[in-house]
Amino acid sequence: MSYDKREEDVVTNLSNNTHIDHIVEEALANPNRRRLMASGAAGAAALSFMGLTGCGGSDSPSAPAPAPVAPPAGPVKATALGFPAIAKSLADTVTVPPGYQASVLIRGGDPINAATPAFLNDGTDSAASAAFRAGDHHDGMHFFGMTTTGAYDPNASDRGILCINHEAITPNFLHPNGVTSVAGVRTVNEEVLKELNVHGVSIVEVARSGNSWSYVRNSVYNRRITTNTDMILSGPAAGTPFMVTRYSANGTRTRGTVNNCANGYTPWGTYLTCEENYAGYFRRITATDNVNRTPKELANFNRNGVAGTGREGWATAIATDPNDTTFSRWNAEKLGNSTDGSDDFRNVANTFGWIVEIDPFNTTSAPRKRTAMGRFAHEGAWPAKAVAGQPLVWYMGDDSRGEYIYKYVSDANWDPADATRGLAAGDKYLDAGKLYVARFNADGTGDWLELRFGNGPVVSTYAPYAFANQADVLINARHAADALGATKMDRPEWGAVDPFTSSVYMTLTNNNSTLRTLASTDAANPRFYNDPRTNGTAQRGNPNGHIIRWIEVASNSAALQFGWDIFLFGARATQDTRTVNLSGLTAANDFSSPDGLWFGRNGILWIQTDDGAYTDVTNCMLLAAIPGGVRDGATVTVANVDGTNTKNVTTYVGAQLGETRLRRFLVGPKDCEITGLAESADGKALFVNIQHPGEETSAAAFAARTFNSNWPNGGTSRPLSATIVITRTDGGVIGV
Ligand code: FEO
Ligand code: CA
Ligand code: CA
């Protein structure tokens, strides 16, 4: 039952979209397209007027100075990094710079109430107890500062609630002798029940004493959200026939959340957990199920990847009580006789793939899946700064190779009086809004295209998918984005919004030569290269990834046009600086596969990696950057080569940061991914997750109980995912 995490994003985008140079070519031939490009040119002029182009590159057009952006209250922008870069490392430990300390805060299995016993970590801890312990594979998280009376206070630092996603599992480590299955059937229900409970979200109170942090084991706020938690479907797709299941005949509820990758938060103090590669958890055997499904259902399944035996095989377990659907609800096949799906789980996959809002301060509240924000492999939801009287905006990525970048704009304008209204504020801002997808134009501009029923090709006569209404558009957001001509990206991961400039950064973690060929490079995904491992093994495509950034016209988050460039390209420092190492990385800051992002209040951009390409040289890492602004660099033409084929691609490369503005800050233990970032309001504590250390332990090594990593407990222990907290030994602000 081993599962290659890095292959989980099965590519399903077979649309003919839109590598942006194709759009340019089309524009030359197609007058309608030419009009579009003309509006793009107008956008470029607007961007130029805003000073968003030509800031530095000698080959960029000159432009007036940028319009002033009101500085945020509070911290001033950092101008220098106050630590020496640390070296790359293959050691099974967490390394931070001198003057810093990293402490384990909460590990997988740690009890979150007084009644649950200490974690034995030998696979014997019970399934039932897992609902009262921290889960596995810690991922996205957020720190919600709290007053002494238990209210949300974004400026509080000594006490808070940490919400932590548990994306997935390393199955063998959870059970006494690894996963038990017979011919693909899960035969030990206790094992499956445990796996169901270690997914989801942990909500735990944390507190500072002096310069050290701990979680509060018996806090009334502590609770787990799991794959079994009752949830409310909310927004336009709730209560529609698409959502009807045996669990909820009127389609207004569903059970649980899964593959919670990155996250977001709201200005009213709630947590947004995001359902990423949900599709693979459902069992749907196409050979027998397809004949029972409509063409529309099949188009939905195909575009979202709902097919196969189910990632962990949960649907194969058999409950003692035939009315117990704990396992059978992971079977998305049409098994019942009803016309509406109320007697089986044929529609269950439609109830996953959403942004889920959780109120950490209201301990009895049910999470709400916000369908207005669309359904896809949600990596996270990153808020633009909330401005009174203006709509609220979240940026979102669809984490799969060749998928898209989206944004959500609320219909309601922000009223700061809603900051204390919890989920009721969520109902106001997250249930009604506009959903857009990004098109990155070759001229350095971009457009937001609205996923609205009736908008252009998003109609019932669209051949690949016959949209019925807006609920259908939101459930099948990928189809709608295809129809609108969005730009396929090199696997969107995390985003972050610069608190000083409102520029938006988003990681494009990597792509391979099968799923993104030389021919389909474009200005926003411009590189095709070989990154050979030390042993000579070729890695072709864009194995090191890049970070794109954009700024909206007039710095208005709700604008429909933007200007963009590529902030950083991942690369080995030894690679060619004209074709691969375009950002001029050195030994002090070279990295591969950027994933997590977080802007500190002082404007430091923290960059995490989830890499499999450079791991012959270094474990995954965390870097700190002091960015400039969009189009502060040069226009560059990259001469890509694949064997005897070549393709030149012109793109916009951000100014090189050098070692003064980009440094490696942390390297993690073996086989881990560094993910999840949160900070206390005073910037003196940085919370970071170490996910799946020792994950590559082979079955044979597991059988011998020798693990690739023994972090964090050491000795010969099974490795554990964990949240760590980083502080300065002198108690100062991190990074500066
Ligand atoms: Fe769960 Fe997008 O990595
Ligand atoms: Ca990720
Ligand atoms: Ca990743």
Side-chain angles (χ1 to χ4, degrees):
M1 202 63 65
S2 76
Y3 196 87
D4 185 343
K5 182 175 183 298
R6 294 196 175 87
E7 295 308 315
E8 70 198 359
D9 61 319
V10 176
V11 72
T12 60
N13 191 350
L14 304 178
S15 72
N16 290 325
N17 282 16
T18 83
H19 290 288
I20 55 192
D21 45 344
H22 298 172
I23 292 179
V24 176
E25 288 159 18
E26 254 184 78
L28 296 174
N30 177 337
N32 294 328
R33 275 289 198 192
R34 219 173 285 152
R35 277 202 295 278
L36 266 179
M37 292 303 289
S39 76
L47 290 164
S48 179
F49 176 74
M50 292 308 301
L52 302 176
T53 60
C55 296
S58 57
D59 42 5
S60 300
S62 61
V69 175
V76 294
K77 184 174 168 65
T79 54
L81 296 170
F83 62 90
I86 63 163
K88 296 185 281 286
S89 170
L90 290 169
D92 188 31
T93 189
V94 172
T95 307
V96 292
Y100 286 83
Q101 53 199 12
S103 310
V104 174
L105 182 67
I106 186 164
R107 302 161 294 189
D110 279 347
I112 61 166
N113 63 20
T116 299
F119 191 57
L120 298 174
N121 194 27
D122 60 2
T124 64
D125 304 277
S126 72
S129 79
F132 304 100
R133 302 180 183 280
D136 202 2
H137 281 219
H138 301 42
D139 206 330
M141 65 179 158
H142 194 74
F143 175 87
F144 294 91
M146 184 161 57
T147 64
T148 51
T149 56
Y152 172 52
D153 178 359
N155 296 312
S157 291
D158 290 339
R159 180 190 185 204
I161 298 177
L162 208 53
C163 293
I164 307 166
N165 285 350
H166 300 291
E167 182 185 32
I169 55 177
T170 311
N172 277 341
F173 295 166
L174 294 172
H175 309 304
N177 297 300
V179 172
T180 309
S181 69
V182 177
V185 174
R186 298 296 300 267
T187 53
V188 180
N189 288 359
E190 169 78 2
E191 291 181 4
V192 178
L193 292 168
K194 189 188 296 184
E195 293 173 17
L196 294 171
N197 277 343
V198 300
H199 286 78
V201 179
S202 289
I203 301 167
V204 287
E205 183 180 342
V206 295
R208 175 160 62 189
S209 173
N211 195 22
S212 70
W213 287 80
S214 57
Y215 78 94
V216 182
R217 180 169 167 179
N218 59 358
S219 169
V220 296
Y221 296 98
N222 293 356
R223 62 172 168 144
R224 283 294 316 284
I225 306 293
T226 74
T227 58
N228 296 312
T229 302
D230 177 55
M231 306 209 169
I232 296 168
L233 295 166
S234 194
T240 64
F242 305 104
M243 305 298 228
V244 171
T245 62
R246 183 173 164 187
Y247 185 72
S248 176
N250 64 8
T252 57
R253 300 186 94 92
T254 189
R255 195 176 176 193
T257 187
V258 78
N259 209 254
N260 303 87
C261 192
N263 65 296
Y265 57 95
T266 69
W268 51 93
T270 62
Y271 185 64
L272 302 177
T273 186
C274 302
E275 299 180 330
E276 194 201 51
N277 288 298
Y278 66 93
Y281 290 84
F282 295 102
R283 178 182 180 85
R284 201 182 71 79
I285 306 303
T286 56
T288 49
D289 191 56
N290 278 5
V291 295
N292 298 321
R293 313 307 289 253
T294 66
K296 270 190 63 155
E297 286 178 306
L298 294 177
N300 176 346
F301 292 139
N302 290 342
R303 189 62 183 85
N304 291 291
V306 183
T309 56
R311 171 171 172 166
E312 310 294 354
W314 294 334
T316 64
I318 297 174
T320 312
D321 175 356
N323 292 316
D324 178 354
T325 59
T326 301
F327 307 128
S328 61
R329 71 195 178 87
W330 297 99
N331 190 328
E333 296 169 350
K334 184 178 180 184
L335 301 173
N337 296 317
S338 68
T339 54
D340 63 357
S342 60
D343 58 349
D344 60 16
F345 290 91
R346 75 187 70 159
N347 296 323
V348 68
N350 288 341
T351 72
F352 284 77
W354 302 105
I355 305 277
V356 186
E357 185 180 12
I358 297 169
D359 187 345
F361 295 90
N362 183 347
T363 58
T364 58
S365 58
R368 299 188 192 186
K369 297 200 177 187
R370 299 297 184 185
T371 66
M373 301 176 88
R375 171 174 167 264
F376 43 89
H378 275 288
E379 177 73 19
W382 294 280
K385 186 181 174 194
V387 179
Q390 294 184 20
L392 296 176
V393 173
W394 282 264
Y395 296 97
M396 306 179 287
D398 184 351
D399 180 2
S400 207
R401 295 188 169 93
E403 291 299 344
Y404 307 128
I405 291 171
Y406 297 81
K407 81 169 174 182
Y408 173 82
V409 180
S410 68
D411 283 349
N413 292 329
W414 174 234
D415 176 355
D418 290 326
T420 57
R421 294 184 61 229
L423 291 167
D427 293 343
K428 176 178 176 181
Y429 295 99
L430 300 180
D431 281 349
K434 294 182 174 66
L435 182 64
Y436 300 92
V437 67
R439 181 177 63 206
F440 291 83
N441 302 317
D443 64 359
T445 67
D447 299 285
W448 292 109
L449 313 167
E450 189 183 354
L451 282 73
R452 176 171 43 82
F453 182 66
N455 183 22
V458 186
V459 291
S460 60
T461 53
Y462 176 61
Y465 188 83
F467 297 102
N469 49 40
Q470 185 62 15
D472 204 5
V473 169
L474 294 168
I475 292 168
N476 288 281
R478 283 179 168 180
H479 274 300
D482 293 345
L484 291 164
T487 303
K488 292 179 175 180
M489 308 301 287
D490 283 349
R491 197 172 169 189
E493 290 264 12
W494 288 51
V497 180
D498 187 327
F500 291 90
T501 66
S502 299
S503 300
V504 189
Y505 290 67
M506 192 166 280
T507 52
L508 301 165
T509 192
N510 57 54
N511 213 333
N512 60 40
S513 58
T514 307
L515 297 173
R516 212 268 278 130
T517 62
L518 173 75
S520 54
T521 49
D522 59 31
N525 304 275
R527 292 184 304 171
F528 187 102
Y529 55 97
N530 180 22
D531 171 46
R533 290 176 81 87
T534 310
N535 66 8
T537 303
Q539 305 180 108
R540 289 195 170 83
N542 179 19
N544 304 137
H546 55 286
I547 304 174
I548 200 163
R549 66 181 167 184
W550 62 89
I551 188 160
E552 311 274 11
V553 167
S555 297
N556 171 13
S557 301
L560 298 183
Q561 290 191 306
F562 57 90
W564 63 269
D565 71 3
I566 295 176
F567 169 58
L568 276 178
F569 289 91
R572 288 170 205 256
T574 51
Q575 281 274 21
D576 190 312
T577 54
R578 295 161 301 177
T579 54
V580 185
N581 187 13
L582 296 166
S583 298
L585 305 183
T586 67
N589 56 27
D590 62 341
F591 68 93
S592 175
S593 301
D595 192 340
L597 285 182
W598 170 260
F599 262 107
R601 289 190 175 195
N602 53 12
I604 291 180
L605 179 62
W606 297 92
I607 304 166
Q608 301 174 313
T609 69
D610 172 17
D611 184 45
Y614 201 14
T615 45
D616 52 336
V617 172
T618 183
N619 298 338
C620 288
M621 64 184 70
L622 170 66
L623 306 104
I626 298 180
V630 175
R631 299 296 281 274
D632 63 1
T635 303
V636 170
T637 297
V638 188
N640 292 304
V641 179
D642 182 18
T644 57
N645 297 316
T646 61
K647 182 178 172 186
N648 291 345
V649 179
T650 296
T651 190
Y652 312 95
V653 182
Q656 295 195 359
L657 301 177
E659 294 179 4
T660 58
R661 288 167 59 200
L662 177 64
R663 291 180 188 170
R664 189 177 303 105
F665 178 80
L666 174 154
V667 180
K670 289 180 181 172
D671 296 356
C672 81
E673 152 183 358
I674 305 294
T675 185
L677 272 163
E679 68 176 346
S680 59
D682 60 11
K684 295 180 177 179
L686 191 66
F687 303 93
V688 173
N689 282 325
I690 309 294
Q691 190 186 96
H692 61 65
E695 175 183 59
E696 309 290 334
T697 300
S698 68
F702 175 78
R705 300 296 185 269
T706 53
F707 311 108
N708 283 13
S709 168
N710 304 106
W711 192 91
N713 291 351
T716 58
S717 64
R718 297 182 185 206
L720 293 167
S721 298
T723 301
I724 61 173
V725 57
I726 297 164
T727 52
R728 252 169 61 172
T729 50
D730 67 2
V733 173
I734 310 287
V736 293

